[in-house]
Amino acid sequence: MLPDLHRAAGVLFDLDGVLTPTAEVHMRAWQRVFDEVLARWGVAEPYTDADYFAYVDGKKRYDGVASMLHSRNIEIPWGQVDDPPEAETVCGIGNRKNAAFAAALRSEGIAPYPGSLALLQSLQDAAVPMGVVSSSKNAEEVLGSAGIREFFRIVVDGVVAERDHLASKPAPDMFREGAEMLGVDPADAVAVEDAVAGVASAAAAGFADVVGVDRGAGPDALREAGATGIVDDLARLLPGAAH
C-alpha cells in the first residue's frame, strides 16, 4: 500500500535519483575518480555500480569516499575540507569528484523527472508542505538548475549537515532535522528516497511512511532498509494513479 501524500502533514524528498536524474551524473563522476584511485593503488578489483549502491549512494561525500576505500583496504588521511582535488586524502578525493560533477552539471544541465515534477505541482496545489533532504553539497545548485527550488520550504543538504554536525545517512539526523525545520512530526509525514542509506535514515527518524524509489538499488534492498512502499516513478503517487 502506498501512502496518500496529499493527506500528509509534510513530504520530505531526497534529490538525486528521486526528483532529478543527477544520480547518473554523480555515478559517472564517482566512476572516473575511483577508477583513477584504484589504478594508482594497484587494486585489481574494479569499481562497479554495485560499489556505488553499497558504499556511496545517499551518504555525505567524504563518508562515501571513506566507506569505498575501506572496502578495498585503502587507508589514507582524512584531510581537510579545503584540500585541493589532487590531494591524496579522503577530502581531496571527495573534492576531486565534486569538481567532476560540477563540470558535468554545468555543461549538460539537468531537468526533473516528468513524473516527479507532476507530483510536486500536485502537492503544491494541495498546499502540502515540502522539503528536500539531500546528502549532496550541490543540492541548491541542482534545484536551481532544474527549476524546482520554489516548491520547497526547506532544504537540508550536505552544507547544512556539515555546518550543524549532522551525521550522514543512514543515521536519522538529516531527516529528523528536515522534519523539525518543516515543522512536522515524522510520524505524520512521508519521506521519499531512492538510496538504501536514505530509506534507513528516514525509517530511523520515525517516518511512518517511507516510499522507496527503485532507480537501481532494488526493491528488496529498499524494503529491508525500511521502505513501506516501492515505486519506479513518482507519477505512481499522483491521485488516481494505478499502483
Side-chain angles (χ1 to χ4, degrees):
M1 292 294 294
L2 294 173
D4 183 355
L5 272 61
H6 296 74
R7 295 180 179 274
V11 182
L12 290 167
F13 296 89
D14 179 41
L15 175 58
D16 301 320
V18 170
L19 301 176
T20 61
T22 32
E24 299 166 20
V25 184
H26 281 290
M27 289 180 74
R28 292 198 300 272
W30 282 119
Q31 184 79 53
R32 286 196 295 274
V33 168
F34 281 131
D35 282 350
E36 295 170 0
V37 170
L38 295 182
R40 187 176 301 114
W41 280 80
V43 176
E45 185 182 356
Y47 175 80
T48 68
D49 287 352
D51 289 315
Y52 172 80
F53 291 116
Y55 305 116
V56 177
D57 190 24
K59 297 180 182 177
K60 289 192 290 186
R61 190 188 315 150
Y62 303 140
D63 290 339
V65 172
S67 181
M68 174 58 200
L69 295 183
H70 181 73
S71 77
R72 298 300 195 274
N73 297 312
I74 298 174
E75 300 295 336
I76 60 175
W78 187 271
Q80 304 293 328
V81 295
D82 58 355
D83 280 356
E86 61 271 15
E88 282 303 302
T89 63
V90 168
C91 291
I93 291 172
N95 293 344
R96 195 179 313 162
K97 177 265 170 181
N98 190 56
F101 172 81
L105 181 65
R106 287 160 192 162
S107 65
E108 301 170 15
I110 199 70
Y113 290 109
S116 300
L117 179 59
L119 179 62
L120 294 179
Q121 291 170 331
S122 180
L123 291 173
Q124 184 181 62
D125 290 344
V128 177
M130 292 180 281
V132 166
V133 178
S134 169
S135 295
S136 174
K137 288 186 175 181
N138 304 102
E140 290 284 3
E141 182 177 3
V142 170
L143 288 166
S145 179
I148 56 175
R149 179 60 182 88
E150 64 181 22
F151 287 104
F152 305 104
R153 297 187 186 180
I154 63 99
V155 173
V156 178
D157 60 5
V159 176
V160 172
E162 185 174 288
R163 183 194 69 202
D164 296 345
H165 308 290
L166 302 176
S168 180
K169 302 172 185 179
D173 300 39
M174 294 187 71
F175 269 104
R176 190 176 287 154
E177 178 71 9
E180 184 173 339
M181 288 175 61
L182 197 59
V184 298
D185 185 332
D188 299 324
V190 179
V192 186
E193 260 281 2
D194 71 316
V196 170
V199 168
S201 172
F207 283 77
D209 290 301
V210 183
V211 178
V213 186
D214 185 14
R215 307 281 194 196
D220 291 341
L222 292 170
R223 285 194 189 93
E224 187 175 344
T228 56
I230 308 288
V231 297
D232 57 2
D233 189 310
L234 267 61
R236 307 269 187 205
L237 299 168
L238 288 165
H243 297 165

